[in-house]
């Protein structure tokens, strides 16, 4: 019997992020506590730009955006938000969505699978993803449970389960 396998990836669906951003922008434009503070959130190339006239307001914009991401099933580990920076009379936060598993993070995950996972499970790095294979599908499911229980500092998804 052939080996079963799945891939571990770190991807974010751009459309879901777009929807969360649009919902956050709509809420900011409608909320009474954001009236007259020039608060906004929008794409700026590949980054997400949040602006307001006070540091706590721009943090509140970030908080609203984070809550919308969570409601859409996007892990906050994929969001890389900077600190508020003063720019003239306003404050800005630039954020980006992290995608792909770096080589060092892939090696960390492979080591966890080797050390704590079931015997006979192989993990190999392929670009910005990790392929996990085994003869037993039960072992693969055990690996998924093991990784879900770990507190990794990046978002992971399991795809191409065969």
């Amino acid at each position: 019997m052939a080996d079963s396998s799945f891939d571990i990836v770190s991807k974010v669906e751009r459309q879901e992020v777009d929807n969360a951003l649009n919902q956050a922008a709509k809420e900011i434009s409608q909320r009474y506590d954001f009236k007259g503070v020039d608060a906004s959130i929008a794409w700026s190339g590949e980054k997400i730009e949040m602006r307001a006239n006070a540091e706590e307001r721009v943090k509140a914009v970030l908080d609203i955006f984070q809550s919308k991401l969570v409601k859409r099933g996007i892990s906050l580990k994929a969001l890389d938000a900077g600190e508020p920076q003063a720019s003239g009379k306003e404050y800005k936060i630039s954020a980006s969505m992290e995608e792909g598993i770096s080589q060092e993070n892939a090696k960390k995950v492979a080591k966890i699978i080797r050390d704590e996972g079931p015997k006979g499970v192989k993990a190999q790095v392929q670009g910005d993803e990790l392929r996990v294979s085994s003869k037993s599908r039960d072992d693969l499911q055990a690996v998924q449970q093991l990784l879900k229980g770990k507190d990794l500092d990046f978002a992971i998804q399991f795809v191409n389960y065969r």
Side-chain angles (χ1 to χ4, degrees):
M1 186 174 123
D3 281 4
S4 298
S5 69
F6 67 88
D7 294 335
I8 300 172
V9 296
S10 182
K11 286 195 172 33
V12 176
E13 207 170 308
R14 172 81 182 216
Q15 184 61 50
E16 288 297 321
V17 175
D18 224 25
N19 291 343
L21 188 128
N22 291 336
Q23 286 178 334
K26 185 174 181 182
E27 183 172 327
I28 289 163
S29 71
Q30 292 176 341
R31 273 184 35 181
Y32 70 93
D33 57 334
F34 283 109
K35 293 282 186 236
V37 296
D38 296 332
S40 68
I41 181 171
W43 285 105
S44 171
E46 282 299 303
K47 293 208 175 286
I48 298 161
E49 194 87 8
M50 292 161 261
R51 302 167 181 261
N53 65 0
E55 189 173 348
E56 27 328 305
R57 288 284 177 233
V58 78
K59 285 182 178 174
V61 171
L62 176 62
D63 193 45
I64 291 170
F65 182 53
Q66 287 175 334
S67 71
K68 300 299 180 192
L69 286 174
V70 168
K71 284 183 182 170
R72 295 210 151 265
I74 298 170
S75 172
L76 292 182
K77 291 177 183 177
L79 178 70
D80 181 26
E83 288 299 309
Q85 295 171 334
S87 168
K89 291 183 178 176
E90 66 181 7
Y91 285 84
K92 288 186 199 175
I93 294 179
S94 282
S96 61
M97 301 305 291
E98 298 287 318
E99 288 199 293
I101 299 176
S102 68
Q103 290 291 323
E104 63 195 47
N105 285 340
K107 287 177 183 171
K108 275 188 217 168
V109 172
K111 183 171 176 14
I112 290 170
I113 293 169
R114 246 190 341 271
D115 295 347
E116 300 175 34
K119 298 279 180 251
V121 175
K122 296 186 286 290
Q124 60 200 96
V125 179
Q126 296 181 333
D128 62 352
E129 57 186 47
L130 191 70
R131 165 85 32 99
V132 180
S133 57
S134 172
K135 294 226 181 289
S136 163
R137 286 178 173 241
D138 291 343
D139 286 351
L140 292 179
Q141 289 175 340
V143 167
Q144 286 183 353
Q145 290 306 315
L146 170 73
L147 293 175
K148 283 179 185 172
K150 292 286 178 195
D151 187 27
L152 301 170
D153 53 352
F154 54 97
I156 59 172
Q157 294 87 30
F158 306 112
V159 295
N160 295 338
Y161 191 84
R162 355 188 144 115

